Amino acid sequence: MRLDTGGEREVVWIERLCPTRGRVVSVPVTGGRRYGEIVVHDGEPKGERVVEGSTYTVFDELLLFEASELPTLEVTVAAGEKADLEALLELFTDHGFGAEPASGVRMLCACCSEGTHEQERAVDAGAQQVSLAAPEEEARRLLERWAGETAIGRSWSGLAAVG
């Protein structure tokens, strides 16, 4: 789904609810949009994403159908291994929240975005920004739990609301 955020455009993953509506399951990095929103989209394909051999059609957003109350937060995390970062993403997903690492975001020009783009589902270890969709206190609790699961290799700092 390609969201239109006041002149900026961003392709996000959605969970299809019906042929014309979907729930945003990515944490948008452009301002003003949120994880969990329900959007109505056009029926005409405007690009494709090929991920691990599977092709996903990209549709343009027509309108915001239902807003989401989940705030967007940013945090700096240090993950010693890829598995550490994957564990953080899984922890937030398992609790009904979103987490989007900077290492998983790819910027494309408009022309490339509306074409066919091959990409991998990959995250990198190391220090990086992660966008979160969760109430702040819940995010703090989950981050502390994640960091405390190992003696070394996981830390976080600078949790702050976006927008």
Side-chain angles (χ1 to χ4, degrees), residues 81-156:
E81 305 283 334
K82 287 183 179 186
D84 292 323
L85 187 56
E86 289 166 350
L88 177 65
L89 305 181
E90 186 176 318
L91 181 62
F92 272 78
T93 300
D94 288 350
H95 284 82
F97 302 126
E100 200 78 36
S103 63
V105 176
R106 304 291 180 260
M107 302 302 269
L108 302 174
C109 69
C111 182
C112 291
S113 178
E114 292 182 359
T116 298
H117 179 71
E118 292 192 35
Q119 61 191 63
E120 294 179 17
R121 288 183 201 227
V123 296
D124 296 330
Q128 64 185 288
Q129 289 292 115
V130 176
S131 298
L132 303 172
E136 189 170 342
E137 287 307 310
E138 200 57 23
R140 284 183 191 286
R141 185 181 69 75
L142 293 174
L143 286 163
E144 286 294 336
R145 178 176 160 188
W146 169 76
E149 288 177 348
T150 64
I152 191 167
R154 294 181 182 183
S155 65
W156 65 276

Side-chain angles (χ1 to χ4, degrees), residues 5 28-34 37 64 72 162-163:
T5 58
V29 294
T30 53
R33 302 312 295 268
R34 292 184 172 183
E37 293 177 333
L64 175 62
T72 301
V162 175

Side-chain angles (χ1 to χ4, degrees), residues 1-5 8-12 14 16 19-22 33 39-49 57-64 110 113-115:
M1 168 73 60
R2 184 176 295 105
L3 300 178
D4 187 351
T5 58
E8 293 185 62
R9 298 171 67 167
E10 177 179 357
V11 174
V12 298
I14 64 167
R16 296 288 298 263
T20 60
R21 291 181 302 132
R33 302 312 295 268
V39 294
V40 175
H41 63 81
D42 193 356
E44 180 183 355
K46 293 283 176 94
E48 294 178 326
R49 298 297 179 270
T57 304
V58 177
F59 297 99
D60 286 340
E61 172 189 23
L62 293 176
L63 62 95
L64 175 62
S113 178
E114 292 182 359

